Amino acid sequence: MSDTLIMTGRSVRLSRRNVDALIMAMALPVMLLLIFVYFFGGAINTGTEYVTYVVPGVLLLCAGFGSASTAVAVTEDLKGGVIDRFRSLDIGGTPILAGHVLASTARNLIATALVFALAFAIGFRPSAGPGGWLAAIGLLVAYIAALSWLSATVGLLVKSPEAAGGFTFFVSFLPYPSSAFVPTDTMPSWLQGFAAHQPVTHVIEAVRGLLLGQPVGSTGWVALAWCTGILAASVAASGALFKRRTA
Amino acid sequence: MPDAPAIEATGLRKTYGKVEVLRGLDLAVPRGTVHALLGPNGAGKTTTVRILATLTEADAGSARVAGHDLRTERARARRAISLTGQFAALDEMQTGAENLRMMARLTRTHGGARTSRAAARTRAAELLDRFDLADAADRLVRTYSGGMRRRLDLAASLVGQPEVIFLDEPTAGLDPRSRQELWSVVRELSARGTTVFLTTQYLEEADRLADRIAVLHGGELVAEGTSEELKRRVAGQRLDVVLTDPAAYLRLVSQAVYSEPETRTLGFLTDGGAPQVRALLDALDPDGTVIERFSLHTATLDDVFLTLTKPAHQEPSHV
Ligand SMILES: Nc1ncnc2c1ncn2[C@@H]1O[C@H](COP(=O)(O)OP(=O)(O)O)[C@@H](O)[C@H]1O
Ligand SMILES: [Mg+2]
């Protein structure tokens, strides 16, 4: 455990100094929120105030983008010799990756706080009680951690930071065919099937429901199951991949 | 096991795909000595060091380092050794002090206990001082010169006060001054009782630093001993001949240990005695027409090395 804390401190320092990526991770959510609300919001009818509808979507979109930089951090590590030094100190792959994942989670939570602050300023009025907030934040953390670890796994699979960047594109795209920005029943029917069942939709529906104080039924559990499933699969796969890449 | 040799390896083998990099390597390095593994590029030096430093597993054979078996007591072995690889194992975006403190905190003592934050801070400061990096301690490693980086890398490998330290081509790419500095660090380490196992492509380096030298070629050790023994082992003298025409030069160049095309000079090893020199001259030039002049020199370690690693020794490992 204390290895993980030391490695997290390292990853936090490294990401604090990657100024370009940090500015991007903070500015993108803010810009996206403004673009969705003011550029598209007027034309989209969701039955509620659009800013209230879209905030969870923007949060997940940015979580995807922010988590994906974990892949780049892992490929950078593998390029240099530092992993060998950690290994010769008997530090396994899990603490190293967990350090990146926890740093990514911290980064994303700051971006999330920024989005909430701005959203409040432009009219976001959720009606959740403390329990709802806690559950929503918890689900967001689970989603960010799952995507970050998935991203770390991708970092172990690809050979270059550039290829890892490709993963960012894929993950950032995933929230579009979901209920993040428009209700899925406005999509063509062939897309509805995918959009209604993909993990992002469950997470968004659950977070939205929790924040608005609506009953979420089983959606919350399905969303949590997706997140823990992705996380567990990623932890297992990355453990094996780490051994293979560093043998 | 304080009396066990620092390194003991028998029959180490390693194959990558079809390339047989090591084919049965035996090593014995006494405690407190400096041992050089000498070999040309691609000879398998890095592979050997990575196996001994527990980072790569051998396909066959066994090894003990600091008395610990690398397969069954890997964690203990890791606590007793350190490796400074060919490429700096540092975070460019952390400062020198941050790198060292982090490594110090990740280091476990020989008993397995963890280093406290305060102890790590002290250890890092000590090492920064010792390696003349105190002024640069709070600068990002990205801004360091090649020599500073190498020193910091070495400092990082010493946080745990290892008994055996592996240095893979420690002076590759360094300017002469930084090279000298690194040599004195190695001597100092050795003076403190640390066993140093280093690899190098430079004979001069092996000659100056090492108590014993092992020459790796074609996946095997082709020679092992002190530099004096190695020199004696091959031959004492080098016969240089100047040839009359380029055709003769081309015909004989493959047998020579030394060649200088501009002056059509070729060098051959001999014991320097008259019978051998006469026989050698006759063998090279049966008709007495192609050798213009000759001279005799003491063979250098370079000659020895080139003889030992002549392509004739070279087998399928390099196809
Ligand atoms: N991980 C690896 N995968 C495939 N081939 C390798 C690997 N590591 C080393 N080799 C091959 O093994 C041979 C010896 O390499 P190395 O130990 O790095 O030599 P040296 O350090 O003496 O230059 C080379 O032919 C190299 O291409
Ligand atoms: Mg090498």
Side-chain angles (χ1 to χ4, degrees):
Chain A
M1 190 59 217
S2 74
D3 284 346
T4 302
L5 286 180
I6 298 166
M7 296 316 292
T8 306
R10 163 183 186 253
S11 298
V12 167
R13 278 195 295 279
L14 293 181
S15 37
R16 240 182 27 217
R17 285 164 197 168
N18 192 348
V19 176
D20 290 350
L22 205 60
I23 290 177
M24 194 65 184
M26 300 301 152
L28 187 79
V30 168
M31 274 162 43
L32 280 175
L33 182 63
L34 295 176
I35 288 171
F36 274 106
V37 173
Y38 292 114
F39 292 15
F40 306 148
I44 300 172
N45 188 355
T46 57
T48 48
E49 195 61 39
Y50 188 63
V51 59
T52 304
Y53 180 86
V54 85
V55 161
V58 170
L59 287 177
L60 261 70
L61 185 65
C62 298
F65 179 83
S67 310
S69 58
T70 313
V72 180
V74 170
T75 51
E76 293 284 352
D77 269 7
L78 287 169
K79 234 176 32 182
V82 78
I83 296 259
D84 279 344
R85 171 140 296 147
F86 291 142
R87 287 179 64 219
S88 66
L89 290 168
D90 231 11
I91 312 299
T94 305
I96 299 173
L97 299 178
H100 284 308
V101 169
L102 287 172
S104 159
T105 308
R107 248 182 359 246
N108 279 293
L109 284 177
I110 294 171
T112 302
L114 267 178
V115 169
F116 272 128
L118 179 66
F120 275 113
I122 61 174
F124 175 60
R125 293 291 174 268
S127 44
W133 270 100
L134 218 60
I137 302 281
L139 199 51
L140 278 172
V141 170
Y143 180 74
I144 292 168
L147 275 193
S148 299
W149 212 303
L150 178 65
S151 168
T153 311
V154 171
L156 290 168
L157 272 173
V158 298
K159 296 280 181 256
S160 69
E162 291 71 32
F167 176 70
T168 312
F169 178 78
F170 171 75
V171 173
S172 308
F173 184 75
L174 212 52
Y176 289 101
S178 83
S179 64
F181 307 112
V182 293
T184 52
D185 56 24
T186 62
M187 296 176 185
S189 55
W190 58 268
L191 193 57
Q192 274 184 32
F194 173 76
H197 292 103
Q198 68 136 321
V200 175
T201 297
H202 291 290
V203 179
I204 283 182
E205 292 293 323
V207 170
R208 189 181 283 138
L210 287 165
L211 288 178
L212 299 185
Q214 293 161 355
V216 290
S218 64
T219 315
W221 297 113
V222 175
L224 190 63
W226 267 108
C227 293
T228 40
I230 292 172
L231 185 63
S234 302
V235 170
S238 64
L241 280 169
F242 185 88
K243 284 213 178 77
R244 209 187 69 194
R245 277 301 292 272
T246 58
Chain B
M1 268 171 286
D3 299 330
I7 303 169
E8 252 183 307
T10 37
L12 290 182
R13 291 180 169 275
K14 184 75 191 177
T15 305
Y16 283 115
K18 283 192 186 132
V19 187
E20 227 187 337
V21 183
L22 300 180
R23 8 173 161 191
L25 194 72
D26 299 331
L27 276 172
V29 178
R31 290 206 180 228
T33 59
V34 178
H35 203 92
L37 184 65
L38 185 63
N41 221 343
K45 300 183 297 296
T46 299
T47 306
T48 307
V49 162
R50 287 180 64 87
I51 289 174
L52 294 174
T54 75
L55 294 178
T56 300
E57 268 193 67
D59 297 336
S62 67
R64 300 177 81 84
V65 175
H68 308 297
D69 188 283
L70 294 189
R71 271 185 226 281
T72 58
E73 301 167 293
R74 195 171 66 179
R76 277 161 187 270
R78 282 184 171 172
R79 270 173 233 151
I81 64 179
S82 81
L83 166 65
T84 300
Q86 230 164 321
F87 306 100
L90 301 164
D91 278 326
E92 297 274 304
M93 295 303 280
Q94 291 203 76
T95 67
E98 283 167 346
N99 267 291
L100 289 188
R101 286 201 294 263
M102 169 180 76
M103 296 306 175
R105 290 192 62 202
L106 291 171
T107 302
R108 266 156 281 209
T109 62
H110 295 231
R114 202 156 265 297
T115 316
S116 75
R117 199 184 277 267
R121 193 169 280 276
T122 314
R123 183 79 185 127
E126 241 170 62
L127 285 166
L128 287 164
D129 256 346
R130 178 166 153 205
F131 285 88
D132 213 10
L133 289 166
D135 291 340
D138 296 321
R139 265 166 50 194
L140 293 184
V141 171
R142 191 172 59 161
T143 68
Y144 280 25
S145 71
M148 289 164 77
R149 221 170 273 233
R150 204 62 69 96
R151 292 206 303 274
L152 183 67
D153 201 25
L154 196 53
S157 77
L158 294 176
V159 286
Q161 292 171 311
E163 294 168 49
V164 181
I165 162 160
F166 295 97
L167 304 174
D168 193 11
E169 301 204 24
T171 60
L174 289 190
D175 60 69
R177 204 180 86 98
S178 309
R179 175 169 302 186
Q180 293 284 353
E181 284 171 3
L182 214 119
W183 283 353
S184 63
V185 170
V186 170
R187 291 199 188 98
E188 187 201 319
L189 278 173
S190 171
R192 292 179 183 214
T194 310
T195 308
V196 180
F197 186 92
L198 60 90
T199 74
T200 179
Q201 298 191 40
Y202 307 109
L203 280 148
E204 189 202 352
E205 184 159 283
D207 197 10
R208 293 240 198 143
L209 282 180
D211 298 306
R212 293 181 79 78
I213 301 171
V215 183
L216 183 62
H217 184 67
E220 290 165 336
L221 291 191
V222 290
E224 214 268 335
T226 65
S227 69
E228 287 313 311
E229 281 167 3
L230 289 190
K231 284 178 200 166
R232 239 181 289 132
R233 201 195 117 144
V234 184
Q237 305 278 308
R238 194 180 82 201
L239 177 74
D240 282 7
V241 299
V242 180
L243 298 159
T244 49
D245 65 284
Y249 177 88
L250 288 176
R251 182 161 54 81
L252 296 172
V253 69
S254 66
Q255 301 170 40
V257 295
Y258 172 81
S259 61
E260 206 176 278
E262 307 82 52
T263 56
R264 290 195 302 272
T265 305
L266 292 175
F268 303 88
L269 293 177
T270 154
D271 66 2
Q276 236 196 49
V277 171
R278 192 174 289 134
L280 185 58
L281 287 172
D282 282 344
L284 292 171
D285 184 13
D287 307 327
T289 52
V290 301
I291 294 179
E292 200 176 283
R293 260 177 293 129
F294 72 83
S295 57
L296 214 49
H297 310 267
T298 306
T300 65
L301 203 53
D302 276 291
D303 300 327
V304 176
F305 180 60
L306 287 171
T307 320
L308 290 169
T309 60
K310 235 185 349 210
H313 282 272
Q314 206 164 297
E315 275 169 292
S317 71
H318 283 256
V319 280

